Every structure is written in C-alpha cells, then in structure tokens.
Amino acid sequence: MQSLLIFIQKKLAEMSEYIRMAEKSLLNAPQNEHLRIVTRNGKRNGHRVQFFLVSDRHNPNGKYLKNKERNIAKQIARRDYDKKVLRRAKKFSKALNSFQKELLAYMKDPCSEVFSSNPAKRLLANPYISSDEEYRKNWELKSYKRKPFSENTPAIYTENGERVRSKSEKIIADKLTQLKIPYRYECPLRLETQERTIHPDFTLLDIKNRREIILEHFGLMDDVNYSQSAVKKINRCILEGFVPGENLLFTMETQDSPLDTRLLVKILENANLA
C-alpha cells in the first residue's frame, strides 16, 4: 500500500513538471494561427507533406509554407502539442489526487473497524482483524525479558519511569513517547540465519503497516572499538534481511557531535513513523 502511495506521488511530481514546462512554452507560442497539413503522392519520393498556415478564416486553405518558413510550422505544432500535454497532465493530476485521497482514507483495513462503535458486539463476533488500537495494545502488553543492568550502570529513567542505559537513550525514548510511537526497549531479537540473539536499543511498532522497526543508537562513535562493534551489529541486521532506512534505523553521536533530536525526528519521518 505504501509503495502505491509513493508511485502516485512520483507520478504527481512528473505531471507537475509537464504542466510547468508546457505553460512556460505556451507563453511565447503563436495565438491564432493554425496548420493545415496535406499529404500528396510524389512520383519519385513517395509521400510528400505540405504545410499551410491558416490565419484568416476567410481563407481556410491557408498560405503554403516553403521550406525556409517551416520554423512557423514547428512553433504551431509545438503549441498544439503543449496544449494537449497541459490538458492531459492536469486531468491525470486531478485523477491521481482524487485516488490518493481515497487511498489515504482506506489505508486502514476497512474490515478492522467493523463494530468499532459497539465493542460488546465486536467481542462476541470474534473479529478476523484487530483494529489499530487493539493491535497496539496487544503489542504493548506482550512481555519480554530485557537485558539486566550491571551494578555500575547509571540509574537513568525516562519520563515514563523506564530505566535506560544512557542520557541519549532517555532523550530518544521521551521523543518516541511524545510522538506516540510505541516501542520496546532492549527487546530480544532472534537472528535465525545467524543463530544468535541480539537486543536492539529500540523496537518500534509501525501500526499502519503492522511491522516492527529496529532503532539503534550508537553513542561512542569516536571510540574505535565501539565503532567497529557498531558496524558489525548493523551488518548482522542487514544480513538478516533488514533494510537501512526502512526497517533498520540508527542514530549516532560522538563527543563533539551529540545527539540531535531534529535528525531523529527526520529519520522517523522518512520511515513514515512521525
């Protein structure tokens, strides 16, 4: 569904460019002249095309254009082409905008909202598909085993009272809460092809597409050993099938370049989460 929206937006951008070029070309185009094109049979060269300039309604046959006057014919042909392109591009853009509007309205599964206003009846019916809110609640209620904290780990807590390992992770967790993006902190993830389990910093829920997205924060990238470990972790996820920028997101910082929440929000927006 998301790929269809991207396709529509791409086509809308193309139509917008066609409209821009056609309108610019028409600014200096001939206004009232028209072309009459006649195809004759030639004895030596086969078909021969002749162009006539019609500028007077009292002379519908028009004036024959010699070869050196063909530039006028080109200008008129270009004008007629631009007019048709403009008309079709606008019509297609209107249809695309209408379709996009309808598609956005039905991005949610229409069957998931049946009996949404009557929860008791919905409970009795045992629906095939849970609503977004039900899906979110069930996802958030699912328990998991977090990584333990060692004794020397600083006690840092988010606004929700959840313990995390760094101030930057607290900032990220609070921003996710502010943006109403459900997440799990250090939830174990089994990499089946590599027969190992990792604990991503954050596992985000993409409610619209009903999928999980990993968000890793690498906070000591100016440390050689740490950065090498970060690269290995990213590579493991990619080998498992995760795609950077889609379902694998990451933020980084160094001592001189701390975490920038504006970049975090931009990353989340690009993944259609915020």
Side-chain angles (χ1 to χ4, degrees):
M1 189 73 76
Q2 196 66 38
S3 60
L4 181 55
L5 273 177
I6 294 172
F7 173 78
I8 292 173
Q9 291 163 3
K10 179 181 178 182
K11 284 298 177 182
L12 281 171
E14 289 179 4
M15 294 305 107
S16 178
E17 181 63 12
Y18 290 155
I19 291 170
R20 184 194 68 80
M21 292 189 297
E23 288 180 338
K24 181 179 179 181
S25 179
L26 286 169
L27 289 175
N28 300 316
Q31 297 299 313
N32 301 316
E33 296 86 353
H34 298 278
L35 278 182
R36 186 170 72 90
I37 302 175
V38 177
T39 303
R40 302 185 186 278
N41 290 325
K43 293 181 179 181
R44 294 183 179 179
N45 300 323
H47 296 298
R48 186 162 53 108
V49 180
Q50 295 179 327
F51 299 97
F52 295 82
L53 179 64
V54 180
S55 56
D56 186 352
R57 62 179 181 177
H58 299 296
N59 181 19
N61 291 326
K63 173 192 172 186
Y64 172 71
L65 294 176
K66 299 177 181 179
N67 287 337
K68 63 180 181 181
E69 298 174 307
R70 287 292 175 86
N71 189 49
I72 299 175
K74 290 180 180 179
Q75 292 176 10
I76 296 174
R78 183 74 206 188
R79 179 204 62 194
D80 294 344
Y81 171 80
D82 288 329
K83 282 185 176 182
K84 287 189 175 183
V85 166
L86 186 61
R87 183 165 58 251
R88 293 190 179 188
K90 286 184 175 181
K91 184 177 181 180
F92 191 37
S93 293
K94 184 178 180 180
L96 285 172
N97 278 312
S98 178
F99 181 54
Q100 180 177 236
K101 184 178 179 180
E102 292 293 324
L103 187 62
L104 288 171
Y106 286 94
M107 280 292 282
K108 295 181 180 180
D109 191 316
C111 298
S112 67
E113 299 302 324
V114 175
F115 287 159
S116 60
S117 61
N118 195 328
K121 204 170 193 178
R122 180 178 176 84
L123 183 63
L124 290 171
N126 189 20
Y128 301 121
I129 304 169
S130 60
S131 67
D132 283 352
E133 187 59 29
E134 289 170 337
Y135 186 82
R136 173 179 178 147
K137 286 181 180 179
N138 291 333
W139 189 84
E140 290 178 325
L141 288 172
K142 187 177 180 180
S143 61
Y144 62 93
K145 188 175 181 180
R146 304 184 184 185
K147 288 173 62 178
F149 289 90
S150 60
E151 292 184 1
N152 59 347
T153 303
I156 303 172
Y157 291 88
T158 67
E159 295 297 326
N160 290 332
E162 180 180 33
R163 188 177 180 183
V164 293
R165 298 181 187 276
S166 69
K167 293 180 180 179
S168 293
E169 289 183 343
K170 167 183 163 52
I171 292 172
I172 293 172
D174 290 341
K175 179 58 69 173
L176 292 172
T177 300
Q178 179 187 345
L179 295 173
K180 298 181 179 180
I181 300 175
Y183 72 87
R184 293 172 182 160
Y185 180 68
E186 292 189 340
C187 179
L189 172 65
R190 181 67 179 173
L191 303 181
E192 296 296 343
T193 63
Q194 301 165 60
E195 297 183 347
R196 70 165 66 229
T197 298
I198 63 172
H199 293 77
D201 295 331
F202 298 91
T203 303
L204 313 181
L205 176 62
D206 178 3
I207 301 175
K208 291 181 181 179
N209 297 299
R210 308 249 170 143
R211 63 172 182 164
E212 294 179 351
I213 295 177
I214 291 175
L215 171 61
E216 290 280 13
H217 176 68
F218 301 111
L220 300 170
M221 291 303 288
D222 41 4
D223 180 277
V224 175
N225 293 330
Y226 180 93
S227 61
Q228 290 177 347
S229 177
V231 170
K232 289 180 181 179
K233 195 170 187 180
I234 292 173
N235 289 342
R236 288 193 194 106
C237 292
I238 294 174
L239 288 173
E240 195 66 21
F242 288 88
V243 180
E246 293 186 10
N247 57 356
L248 173 60
L249 313 177
F250 41 85
T251 54
M252 299 181 181
E253 66 177 310
T254 64
Q255 187 173 0
D256 295 330
S257 301
L259 174 67
D260 189 337
T261 55
R262 295 172 300 177
L263 294 178
L264 170 62
V265 172
K266 190 66 177 177
I267 290 169
L268 296 171
E269 287 177 347
N270 289 340
N272 296 309
L273 288 170

